[in-house]
Amino acid sequence: MSESARPSILLLTTGGTIQGAASGRLSQGDYRIGDTPVARLLEAVPELASLADLTVEEMANVDSVEMTMPILARVVARIRQAAAAPHPPRGIVLTHGTDTMEESAYLLHLVTGVDLPVVVTAAMRPATELGADGPINLWNAVRAAVDPRSAGRGVIVALNERLHGPREVLKLFAQSADAFQSPGMGPLGRTDPDGVRYYRRSERRCGAASEFVGVDLSQLPRVDLVAAYQEADGTGCAAAVAAGARGLVLCGPLSPALKAAARAAALQGLAVVLCHRGAGGAVHVEAADRSWGLCGADDLSPAKARILLRLALARGVKAGDLPRVFGEY
Ligand code: ASP
């Protein structure tokens, strides 16, 4: 492809295992995050030069357990700025650590509001590892980002030859290259040697259709997660209330004591959302619990329900309107 005919891609990097390095090719899980410079990562995929003109910008270089809202706010601002430029890139690729990638991808899905393809990718093996998956994941992410059919879908998560929706995708396996799956739904599409293939679209609001585009990410209210289990008491709820939380996400099923504590928190004005602990299907909330304000998170994971609740509270959504939000996003 001639130079001018190549689509431009903005590659934003944030660190993670895709930029990890170990002293040997069999790291046994011990490696340093961020020690592989992006330039070296790109050298491992010289084929990219024939596919796109890449502009690389480092937004951060952290383990994704250290990802913060200020970093994400910078990423959102950069994506929106790039999309609004007189000559926007064809698409944007974001590299990220895998541990919290699904949280960042879902947040970006709801707040960036751009139409161009935004593809998030990562790696389970550091760049120095035998069978490193970063180069092929990056290749496939760029292939997806240059494909016009990737536009208008919000954010896409590209890993292990699959294209996932951020709402559904979960890191289900701790150490496998096949760690990411969309339980019960399957991926949106695939990248195989022949090309990029889409099979379905998410029905839920995202991208420009999201009411959370432009939310001030520096002012998100505190929302805490409380795990539920047999004989759980109200300690977690009480701690969240004492810490000033405006919302609680409970990962059910609720023991009687935890339910009583959650109800007390709701009476004090906190928004209370219930998830289930499985990996698919919508949680059921009984009418008696809906009556004191308990809202089901549909099939969202607890970490994603927390993000949606923070955005909803920041937008001033009242408790009575939360079921609509969890049904639409
Ligand atoms: N701890 C790493 C991270 O989330 C793991 C990875 O990227 O696979 O940044």
Side-chain angles (χ1 to χ4, degrees), residues 230-254:
Q230 291 174 354
E231 299 188 315
D233 64 14
T235 309
C237 276
V241 173
R246 294 210 19 232
L248 287 175
V249 174
L250 307 169
C251 184
L254 300 180

Side-chain angles (χ1 to χ4, degrees), residues 45-69:
V45 204
E47 296 81 2
L48 283 172
S50 65
L51 187 61
D53 274 329
L54 250 57
T55 304
V56 183
E57 291 178 25
E58 181 181 295
M59 305 301 294
N61 192 0
V62 295
D63 188 310
S64 76
V65 296
E66 296 162 358
M67 184 52 69
T68 62
M69 209 43 90

Side-chain angles (χ1 to χ4, degrees), residues 182-319:
S182 298
M185 302 279 181
L188 305 173
R190 292 178 186 275
T191 46
D192 64 28
D194 290 336
V196 174
R197 304 171 193 277
Y198 283 104
Y199 295 101
R200 66 178 183 88
R201 234 169 224 289
S202 174
E203 291 291 324
R204 300 302 179 104
R205 290 173 70 179
C206 66
S210 165
E211 72 200 81
F212 306 115
V213 176
V215 163
D216 182 353
L217 297 180
S218 70
Q219 301 292 331
L220 295 185
R222 179 178 179 127
V223 170
D224 285 306
L225 284 186
V226 177
Y229 40 86
Q230 291 174 354
E231 299 188 315
D233 64 14
T235 309
C237 276
V241 173
R246 294 210 19 232
L248 287 175
V249 174
L250 307 169
C251 184
L254 300 180
S255 62
L258 184 51
K259 188 185 283 191
R263 186 178 175 156
L267 282 173
Q268 289 181 56
L270 275 79
V272 186
V273 169
L274 180 68
C275 299
H276 67 86
R277 59 165 83 167
V283 67
H284 174 70
V285 179
E286 288 171 14
D289 294 328
R290 290 200 300 272
S291 70
W292 58 260
L294 185 63
C295 171
D298 200 310
D299 63 349
L300 278 183
S301 72
K304 291 181 208 174
R306 175 178 172 271
I307 289 167
L308 184 55
L309 182 55
R310 293 188 83 190
L311 293 173
L313 293 174
R315 269 283 184 254
V317 172
K318 299 283 175 263

Side-chain angles (χ1 to χ4, degrees):
M1 204 183 283
S2 81
E3 210 163 284
S4 57
R6 285 196 315 244
S8 63
I9 291 293
L10 176 61
L11 173 63
L12 304 177
T13 67
T14 68
T17 295
I18 193 165
Q19 287 182 248
S23 44
R25 281 175 24 105
L26 297 171
S27 68
Q28 297 184 307
D30 287 335
Y31 53 89
R32 297 169 309 279
I33 297 279
D35 265 18
T36 296
V38 181
R40 198 158 323 140
L41 188 66
L42 295 176
E43 276 166 23
V45 204
E47 296 81 2
L48 283 172
S50 65
L51 187 61
D53 274 329
L54 250 57
T55 304
V56 183
E57 291 178 25
E58 181 181 295
M59 305 301 294
N61 192 0
V62 295
D63 188 310
S64 76
V65 296
E66 296 162 358
M67 184 52 69
T68 62
M69 209 43 90
I71 298 173
L72 289 169
R74 285 209 310 277
V75 171
V76 172
R78 185 66 189 97
I79 291 173
R80 288 176 60 74
Q81 180 196 42
H87 300 289
R90 170 79 68 84
I92 296 175
V93 173
L94 177 78
T95 57
H96 199 287
T98 60
D99 285 336
T100 69
M101 183 180 69
E102 59 208 49
E103 291 179 57
S104 296
Y106 189 52
L107 178 86
L108 299 179
H109 194 54
L110 299 180
V111 303
T112 49
V114 300
D115 251 358
L116 50 71
V118 178
V119 182
V120 180
T121 194
M124 289 297 293
R125 299 179 184 137
T128 49
E129 189 84 357
L130 179 64
D133 50 339
I136 184 70
N137 285 345
L138 186 60
W139 168 248
N140 283 327
V142 174
R143 287 168 80 210
V146 299
D147 193 311
R149 292 168 302 168
S150 300
R153 294 176 186 267
V155 168
I156 294 158
V157 176
L159 269 117
N160 201 32
E161 302 184 340
R162 299 191 187 107
L163 302 171
H164 294 276
R167 190 181 175 284
E168 295 92 25
V169 74
L170 296 174
K171 182 177 176 179
L172 282 189
F173 296 91
Q175 302 208 46
S176 163
D178 195 20
F180 284 83
Q181 299 190 11
S182 298
M185 302 279 181
L188 305 173
R190 292 178 186 275
T191 46
D192 64 28
D194 290 336
V196 174
R197 304 171 193 277
Y198 283 104
Y199 295 101
R200 66 178 183 88
R201 234 169 224 289
S202 174
E203 291 291 324
R204 300 302 179 104
R205 290 173 70 179
C206 66
S210 165
E211 72 200 81
F212 306 115
V213 176
V215 163
D216 182 353
L217 297 180
S218 70
Q219 301 292 331
L220 295 185
R222 179 178 179 127
V223 170
D224 285 306
L225 284 186
V226 177
Y229 40 86
Q230 291 174 354
E231 299 188 315
D233 64 14
T235 309
C237 276
V241 173
R246 294 210 19 232
L248 287 175
V249 174
L250 307 169
C251 184
L254 300 180
S255 62
L258 184 51
K259 188 185 283 191
R263 186 178 175 156
L267 282 173
Q268 289 181 56
L270 275 79
V272 186
V273 169
L274 180 68
C275 299
H276 67 86
R277 59 165 83 167
V283 67
H284 174 70
V285 179
E286 288 171 14
D289 294 328
R290 290 200 300 272
S291 70
W292 58 260
L294 185 63
C295 171
D298 200 310
D299 63 349
L300 278 183
S301 72
K304 291 181 208 174
R306 175 178 172 271
I307 289 167
L308 184 55
L309 182 55
R310 293 188 83 190
L311 293 173
L313 293 174
R315 269 283 184 254
V317 172
K318 299 283 175 263
D321 200 25
L322 283 176
R324 171 194 68 78
V325 168
F326 279 86
E328 289 182 0
Y329 289 88

